[in-house]
């Protein structure tokens, strides 16, 4: 029995070594550090008080993260703060610190300390959940949210917020998986940074998890969980189905109920932490190219009516959209250094008179 176990162990070890060398020489992986962790309600955050290395096509970028799961730079922390939220574009995906538009903004507004809480793959729901957890702790004087093309569609897929049967926005939870907690383990982090096989498996598992999340928009059931009776559980299941159907109809409606509720909740949270809200549409994609941008096309009246400061870069960014290859990171699609300089110039022009 012991010999059989030993034989199995040795065979597995040899197989792992063979696969590792095969991948290393014939299908090399980008040995990037895992730098995402699950926060409250399954919100996917950047790591905290940590470092990470990001590789793509021999390009090596080092990130540093602070106490609020934020990307940090070499600026001295100040009492006056500006909180910046967005997705990977705002995070500064595959760019050195000094080449990101957020770094350049902090360099200009040097009397402030900008906290860049943006994270790759985020939508409006993620940004709202972050605000609810961290805004009152950070206490920023200004909160700037950069809106990108996928923010609305990601919010529809996410379970962080949903509309109940009374058309009220409710807080929910994203599904989390035990394997995702490995990113917080230092030994796992070191192994991923050095093993092509482990990096390959990590990416495939991540794809599988993201697909599962996309197919499961859950609703919150906390109101009913205190009563374990079967008839109550059946009632919950029926209500879940009803709410899902309502969500589908409301989210697809031209009234943009879900989107409006999200932004009104953002306004409420920003006000609650005594901050001033500024929304900026990056304009990376034209309104005609994505149906989920219909809301932003018609949103100015809504934002004006609700006293929400909103700037739209859609016209300013037209020359970039017409020649994107010049402004994208090669083989990636995110804005390159040149694009970030232009975004900085445009944003600064819009907000410089608002930040006192």
């Amino acid at each position: 029995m012991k010999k059989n176990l030993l034989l199995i162990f040795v065979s597995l070890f040899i197989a792992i070594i063979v696969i590792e060398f095969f991948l290393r020489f014939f299908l090399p992986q980008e040995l990037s550090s895992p730098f995402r962790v699950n926060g409250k309600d399954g919100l996917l955050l950047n790591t905290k008080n940590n470092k990470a290395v990001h590789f793509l096509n021999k390009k090596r970028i080092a990130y540093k993260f602070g106490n609020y799961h934020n990307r940090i730079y070499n600026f001295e922390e100040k009492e006056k703060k500006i909180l910046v939220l967005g997705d990977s574009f705002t995070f500064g995906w595959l760019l050195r610190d000094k080449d990101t538009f957020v770094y350049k903004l902090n360099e200009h507004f040097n009397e402030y300390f900008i906290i860049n809480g943006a994270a790759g793959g985020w939508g409006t729901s993620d940004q709202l959940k972050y605000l609810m957890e961290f805004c009152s702790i950070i206490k920023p004087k200004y909160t700037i949210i950069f809106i990108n093309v996928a923010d609305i569609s990601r919010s529809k897929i996410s379970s962080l917020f949903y509309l109940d049967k009374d058309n009220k926005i409710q807080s929910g939870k994203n599904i989390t998986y035990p394997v995702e907690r490995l990113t917080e383990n230092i030994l796992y982090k070191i192994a991923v940074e050095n093993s092509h096989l482990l990096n390959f498996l990590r990416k495939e598992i991540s794809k599988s998890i993201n697909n599962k999340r996309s197919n499961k928009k859950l609703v919150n059931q906390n109101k009913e969980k205190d009563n374990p009776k079967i008839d109550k559980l059946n009632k919950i299941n029926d209500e879940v189905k009803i709410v899902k159907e309502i969500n589908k109809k409301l989210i697809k409606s031209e009234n943009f109920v879900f989107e409006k509720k999200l932004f009104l909740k953002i306004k409420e949270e920003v006000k609650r932490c005594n901050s001033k809200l500024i929304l900026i549409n990056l304009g990376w994609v034209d309104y005609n190219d994505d149906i989920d941008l219909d809301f932003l096309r018609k949103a100015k009246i809504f934002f004006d009516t609700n006293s929400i400061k909103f700037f739209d870069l859609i016209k300013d960014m037209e020359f970039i959209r017409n020649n994107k290859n010049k402004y994208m990171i090669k083989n990636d699609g995110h804005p390159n250094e040149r694009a970030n300089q232009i975004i900085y110039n445009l944003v600064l022009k819009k907000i410089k008179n608002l930040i006192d």
Side-chain angles (χ1 to χ4, degrees):
M1 183 65 178
K2 290 184 179 179
K3 288 184 178 179
N4 289 337
L5 289 174
L6 180 62
L7 181 61
I8 292 171
F9 176 79
V10 171
S11 299
L12 284 173
F13 180 76
I14 293 173
I16 290 171
I17 295 298
V18 170
I19 296 172
E20 177 68 35
F21 275 94
F22 174 83
L23 290 172
R24 187 177 293 267
F25 290 105
F26 297 103
L27 193 62
Q29 303 295 300
E30 305 286 355
L31 299 180
S32 298
S33 309
F35 56 89
R36 305 302 293 275
V37 296
N38 283 300
K40 184 180 179 182
D41 295 336
L43 173 63
L44 195 58
L45 295 159
N46 300 313
T47 188
K48 176 181 177 181
N49 297 326
N50 210 337
K51 297 179 181 179
V53 177
H54 197 170
F55 279 95
L56 181 71
N57 299 327
K58 299 181 180 179
K59 186 175 185 179
R60 180 184 183 277
I61 302 297
Y63 303 138
K64 292 180 292 183
F65 301 95
N67 195 44
Y68 308 110
H69 301 272
N70 54 309
R71 182 173 180 178
I72 58 173
Y73 312 109
N74 60 351
F75 297 107
E76 180 184 352
E77 186 165 351
K78 307 284 180 64
E79 184 178 348
K80 294 198 297 183
K81 297 178 177 65
I82 297 174
L83 174 60
V84 166
L85 297 175
D87 65 359
S88 54
F89 282 44
T90 307
F91 172 82
W93 199 254
L94 284 168
L95 292 175
R96 295 176 299 175
D97 292 349
K98 66 178 183 178
D99 293 323
T100 66
F101 72 83
V102 175
Y103 180 97
K104 297 175 189 294
L105 287 171
N106 205 158
E107 204 170 32
H108 178 84
F109 298 109
N110 54 21
E111 69 273 27
Y112 286 88
F113 182 67
I114 293 185
I115 295 175
N116 185 357
W122 268 14
T124 308
S125 288
D126 302 275
Q127 294 147 17
L128 172 54
K129 186 68 74 171
Y130 184 95
L131 280 170
M132 293 174 72
E133 186 170 352
F134 293 102
C135 194
S136 59
I137 301 172
I138 296 170
K139 298 178 181 177
K141 186 171 182 180
Y142 298 94
T143 298
I144 306 175
I145 299 179
F146 291 94
I147 305 170
N148 205 7
V149 55
D151 286 17
I152 301 300
S153 58
R154 286 168 177 165
S155 298
K156 293 175 183 177
I157 293 170
S158 171
S159 297
L160 290 176
F161 293 94
Y162 64 95
L163 295 175
D164 64 19
K165 59 184 179 181
D166 296 318
N167 203 23
K168 294 180 180 179
I169 194 162
Q170 301 292 345
S171 182
K173 294 183 179 181
N174 274 336
I175 299 172
T176 58
Y177 298 87
V179 68
E180 294 178 294
R181 300 193 192 105
L182 286 172
T183 59
E184 302 174 49
N185 185 292
I186 185 63
L187 294 178
Y188 171 79
K189 182 175 179 288
I190 293 171
V192 169
E193 291 174 346
N194 292 277
S195 170
H196 290 254
L197 174 58
L198 193 54
N199 227 297
F200 174 81
L201 292 173
R202 179 176 71 91
K203 291 174 183 176
E204 292 304 310
I205 291 171
S206 179
K207 287 179 186 177
S208 176
I209 288 174
N210 288 334
N211 287 335
K212 287 181 180 179
R213 285 201 176 110
S214 297
N215 293 326
K216 292 183 179 180
K217 183 172 175 64
L218 302 180
V219 296
N220 187 282
Q221 301 177 24
N222 289 338
K223 293 180 181 179
E224 301 289 342
K225 68 181 181 180
D226 293 331
N227 193 330
K229 293 182 180 180
I230 298 299
D231 58 336
K232 281 287 185 181
L233 292 176
N234 290 334
K235 182 181 177 183
I236 290 173
N237 290 331
D238 291 338
E239 289 180 352
V240 166
K241 293 176 183 177
I242 292 170
V243 171
K244 283 184 177 180
E245 290 304 315
I246 291 173
N247 273 335
K248 288 179 183 177
K249 292 176 183 178
L250 290 174
I251 291 171
K252 290 181 179 179
S253 74
E254 292 185 1
N255 292 324
F256 306 110
V257 178
F258 183 59
E259 292 91 328
K260 290 177 180 178
K261 296 283 185 178
L262 279 178
F263 282 105
L264 288 175
K265 184 65 175 173
I266 284 175
K267 178 188 175 183
E268 177 186 321
E269 290 300 318
V270 170
K271 183 178 180 181
R272 189 168 65 88
C273 65
N274 297 315
S275 186
K276 298 177 182 178
L277 177 62
I278 301 172
L279 301 178
I280 301 174
N281 175 32
L282 286 171
W284 188 255
V285 173
D286 187 75
Y287 289 140
N288 297 321
D289 295 336
D290 195 302
I291 191 170
D292 280 318
L293 291 176
D294 280 351
F295 167 70
L296 289 179
R297 186 205 302 270
K298 306 168 185 177
K300 190 177 186 308
I301 296 175
F302 166 73
F303 288 134
D304 287 345
T305 301
N306 289 280
S307 301
I308 298 174
K309 190 68 68 176
F310 172 66
F311 296 103
D312 197 346
L313 303 184
I314 199 77
K315 291 182 179 178
D316 304 276
M317 293 284 283
E318 184 176 6
F319 72 98
I320 285 185
R321 293 195 301 272
N322 291 337
N323 192 14
K324 274 210 181 154
N325 288 335
K326 185 178 178 181
Y327 298 102
M328 292 192 308
I329 297 173
K330 187 177 180 181
N331 299 322
D332 175 71
H334 284 86
N336 60 19
E337 294 85 350
R338 183 179 297 180
N340 270 257
Q341 179 63 49
I342 293 170
I343 292 171
Y344 161 71
N345 292 335
L346 293 173
V347 171
L348 181 61
K349 186 178 178 180
K350 302 288 185 184
I351 69 171
K352 63 181 179 180
N353 294 326
L354 292 177
I355 310 296
D356 53 32

